[in-house]
């Protein structure tokens, strides 16, 4: 006996949009979408009406006006006569820089702390637990201020490097650690330098390709190839050989003390360092918990079986545990990367010129275009967050369990 709960599609009636389970969900979604559109249209109309009553309008012409302020930390050419749009671009690049650096370092801290927290050594496990609990339960803004204060108070001033018997000296004659930041050598790109850079990039790709080949060979045949020294050889040897073949096209511009500060080289400002390290160690504590949870999600029988086959603990972790743990680690890791990007907006607390400090701070105050600036800020963070999510979701799909 066949029971038909829904009438055939050929006899469609308007009432089926509510009563028929095949159309009900789409009907409710269409109603919700329509209500959302009406609400947004009402708010936009209300905004435009109020602006018109005040003699104002929404305009982005201010982006072409001179900014009128300086930015110390910048990745592109900029001065006070540059446009507000260029100042915003400088802020965007600064935000992406600190977010990228913090994501890498937080991942390193998190993986190390997460693995060591499961160590059989009682002292190591407790130290990692102490690190996780301390940094997870104190706001990141406080860590930013603490690190910035310590750096500006403890590090020597540039004048300490002056004289026949200076109070401070440069590390290896090339690195200066001061209360204004760290000064490092800057590369000078000569003719043929791009060939060396291309070789270096190809070497990095070669390292990943070799390690992938060695892993696949191990899984397919059980043959174990060395990972350490071949990876180092692929990473360094081709670039060094090409460097000398092209007659050393890359040289270094060393920082030199001149006047009241160091000249030449690259300056990594104290605000950038404070923000970078604070975001890294704070978010690293959360990532450590994600890593610990991912490792503990792997059945203990997996490690016991691998150990019974004679694999060393390091090999068991790299070849058996972590590949399976990544399926648990990656989804919350995406959220931590998003948190790093959004928490970088706290940079204004230490004077780091990110997009919030430039477009959402100085430019907004000088031009009075609050609505336009806030809308651009919202769009920027939305695009960056969606981009990070998309990239990490692609990687997440590569580590998910492939079912037949």
């Amino acid at each position: 006996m066949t029971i038909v709960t829904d009438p055939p599609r050929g006899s469609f009636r308007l009432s089926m949009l509510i009563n028929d389970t095949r159309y009900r969900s789409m009907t409710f979604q269409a109603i919700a979408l329509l209500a959302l559109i009406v609400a947004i249209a009402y708010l936009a109309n209300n905004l435009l009406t109020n602006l018109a009553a005040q003699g104002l309008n929404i305009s982005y012409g201010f982006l072409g006006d001179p900014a009128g302020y300086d930015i110390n930390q910048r990745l592109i050419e900029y001065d006070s006569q540059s446009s507000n749009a260029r100042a915003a671009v400088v802020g965007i690049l600064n935000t992406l820089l600190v977010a990228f650096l913090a994501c890498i370092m937080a991942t390193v801290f998190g993986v190390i702390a997460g693995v060591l927290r499961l160590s059989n050594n009682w002292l190591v496990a407790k130290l990692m637990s102490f690190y996780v609990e301390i940094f997870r339960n104190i706001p990141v803004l406080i860590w930013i201020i603490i690190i910035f204060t310590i750096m500006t108070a403890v590090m020597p001033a540039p004048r300490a490097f002056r004289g026949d018997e200076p109070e401070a000296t440069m590390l290896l004659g090339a690195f200066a650690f001061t209360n204004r930041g760290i000064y490092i050598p800057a590369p000078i790109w000569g003719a043929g330098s791009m060939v060396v850079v291309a070789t270096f990039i190809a070497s990095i790709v070669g390292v990943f390709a070799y390690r992938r080949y060695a892993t696949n060979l191990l899984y397919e045949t059980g043959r174990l190839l060395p990972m350490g020294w071949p990876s180092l050889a692929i990473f360094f040897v081709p670039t060094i050989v090409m460097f000398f073949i092209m007659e050393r096209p890359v040289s270094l511009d060393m920082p030199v003390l001149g006047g009241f500060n160091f000249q030449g080289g690259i300056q990594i400002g104290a605000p950038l360092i404070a923000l970078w390290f604070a975001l890294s160690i704070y978010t690293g504590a959360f990532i450590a918990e994600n890593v610990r949870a991912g490792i503990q999600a792997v059945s203990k029988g997996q490690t016991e079986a691998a150990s019974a086959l004679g694999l060393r603990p390091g090999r068991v972790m790299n070849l058996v545990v972590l590949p399976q743990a990544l399926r648990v680690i990656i989804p919350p890791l995406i959220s931590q990367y998003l948190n790093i990007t959004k928490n970088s907006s706290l940079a204004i607390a230490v004077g780091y010129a990110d997009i919030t400090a430039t477009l959402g701070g100085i430019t907004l105050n000088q031009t009075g275009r609050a609505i336009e600036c806030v809308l651009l800020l919202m769009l920027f963070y939305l695009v960056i967050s969606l981009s990070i999510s998309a990239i990490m979701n692609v990687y997440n799909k590569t580590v998910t369990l492939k079912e037949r």
Side-chain angles (χ1 to χ4, degrees):
M1 180 178 180
T2 304
I3 299 176
V4 180
T5 57
D6 295 323
R9 294 182 181 272
S11 59
F12 177 80
R13 297 184 304 274
L14 194 61
S15 60
M16 293 170 59
L17 293 176
I18 299 297
N19 299 326
D20 195 332
T21 57
R22 295 171 297 178
Y23 305 106
R24 186 183 302 160
S25 62
M26 293 185 290
T27 301
F28 289 153
Q29 291 182 47
I31 294 174
L33 177 61
L34 181 61
L36 179 62
I37 294 175
V38 171
I40 294 176
Y42 170 77
L43 294 175
N45 180 69
N46 185 58
L47 172 63
L48 295 175
T49 301
N50 291 334
L51 288 175
Q54 298 294 327
L56 302 174
N57 64 340
I58 293 181
S59 173
Y60 291 94
F62 70 95
L63 293 175
D65 298 335
Y69 58 91
D70 292 323
I71 300 177
N72 292 329
Q73 186 76 45
R74 53 185 182 268
L75 298 178
I76 60 176
E77 290 297 327
Y78 171 86
D79 57 47
S80 59
Q81 296 306 308
S82 299
S83 65
N84 285 316
R86 192 166 185 83
V89 172
V90 172
I92 289 174
L93 293 177
N94 285 345
T95 299
L96 296 177
L97 173 64
V98 71
F100 176 75
L101 295 175
C103 284
I104 294 177
M105 183 168 286
T107 304
V108 174
F109 285 165
V111 171
I112 294 176
V115 173
L116 292 182
R117 194 172 181 190
L118 298 174
S119 173
N120 294 326
N121 187 305
W122 183 88
L123 179 60
V124 172
K126 291 302 179 182
L127 285 176
M128 291 300 102
S129 178
F130 177 78
Y131 157 71
V132 169
E133 295 303 326
I134 288 295
F135 282 94
R136 273 164 52 99
N137 294 291
I138 296 179
V140 63
L141 178 60
I142 295 179
W143 288 118
I144 294 173
I145 296 175
I146 288 175
I147 295 176
F148 181 75
T149 303
I150 292 176
M151 183 172 182
T152 53
V154 174
M155 293 292 184
R159 65 174 179 270
F161 293 81
R162 183 180 289 109
D164 296 332
E165 296 181 359
E167 300 176 12
T169 57
M170 298 178 65
L171 178 64
L172 303 177
F175 302 90
F177 297 84
T178 74
N179 57 1
R180 298 183 184 180
I182 299 175
Y183 297 84
I184 64 176
I188 300 177
W189 309 105
S193 58
M194 290 300 101
V195 177
V196 178
V197 173
T199 304
F200 177 71
I201 296 175
S203 298
I204 296 176
V205 175
V207 170
F208 284 100
Y210 171 78
R211 296 180 71 88
R212 185 178 182 87
Y213 166 76
T215 302
N216 291 336
L217 184 66
L218 176 62
Y219 289 159
E220 294 174 1
T221 66
R223 181 185 175 190
L224 181 61
L225 294 179
M227 290 282 195
W229 67 264
S231 298
L232 292 176
I234 296 173
F235 186 80
F236 287 106
V237 173
T239 303
I240 295 175
V241 171
M242 186 59 65
F243 176 77
F244 286 101
I245 290 177
M246 301 303 295
E247 298 180 352
R248 294 182 290 183
V250 182
S251 57
L252 296 177
D253 178 22
M254 297 294 183
V256 179
L257 184 63
F260 297 100
N261 205 348
F262 282 89
Q263 307 295 329
I266 298 176
Q267 178 188 6
I268 306 176
L272 171 59
I273 296 174
L275 184 65
W276 174 14
F277 276 84
L279 291 175
S280 299
I281 59 179
Y282 175 78
T283 311
F286 289 88
I287 295 177
E289 285 296 272
N290 297 336
V291 173
R292 181 181 65 84
I295 293 175
Q296 290 184 326
V298 179
S299 173
K300 191 176 181 180
Q302 297 280 334
T303 58
E304 292 175 347
S307 300
L309 292 174
L311 291 178
R312 297 189 298 271
R315 291 286 185 182
V316 173
M317 180 62 67
N318 293 331
L319 300 177
V320 178
V321 178
L322 284 181
Q324 299 181 77
L326 284 176
R327 298 164 189 154
V328 179
I329 296 172
I330 296 301
L333 182 64
I334 299 174
S335 298
Q336 297 306 326
Y337 285 169
L338 296 178
N339 288 337
I340 286 178
T341 305
K342 290 180 286 188
N343 286 338
S344 67
S345 59
L346 298 172
I348 195 172
V350 290
Y352 181 69
D354 71 328
I355 184 62
T356 304
T358 55
L359 181 62
I362 302 176
T363 300
L364 185 152
N365 292 327
Q366 287 184 347
T367 62
R369 294 287 183 176
I371 295 175
E372 293 87 339
C373 291
V374 171
L375 287 176
L376 288 176
L377 276 177
M378 292 170 59
L379 178 62
F380 166 74
Y381 282 110
L382 177 62
V383 170
I384 292 301
S385 297
L386 292 179
S387 300
I388 293 175
S389 296
I391 294 173
M392 292 301 297
N393 282 328
V394 170
Y395 177 70
N396 187 37
K397 290 181 179 179
T398 64
V399 299
T400 54
L401 184 63
K402 305 298 188 299
E403 297 182 357
R404 296 182 179 179

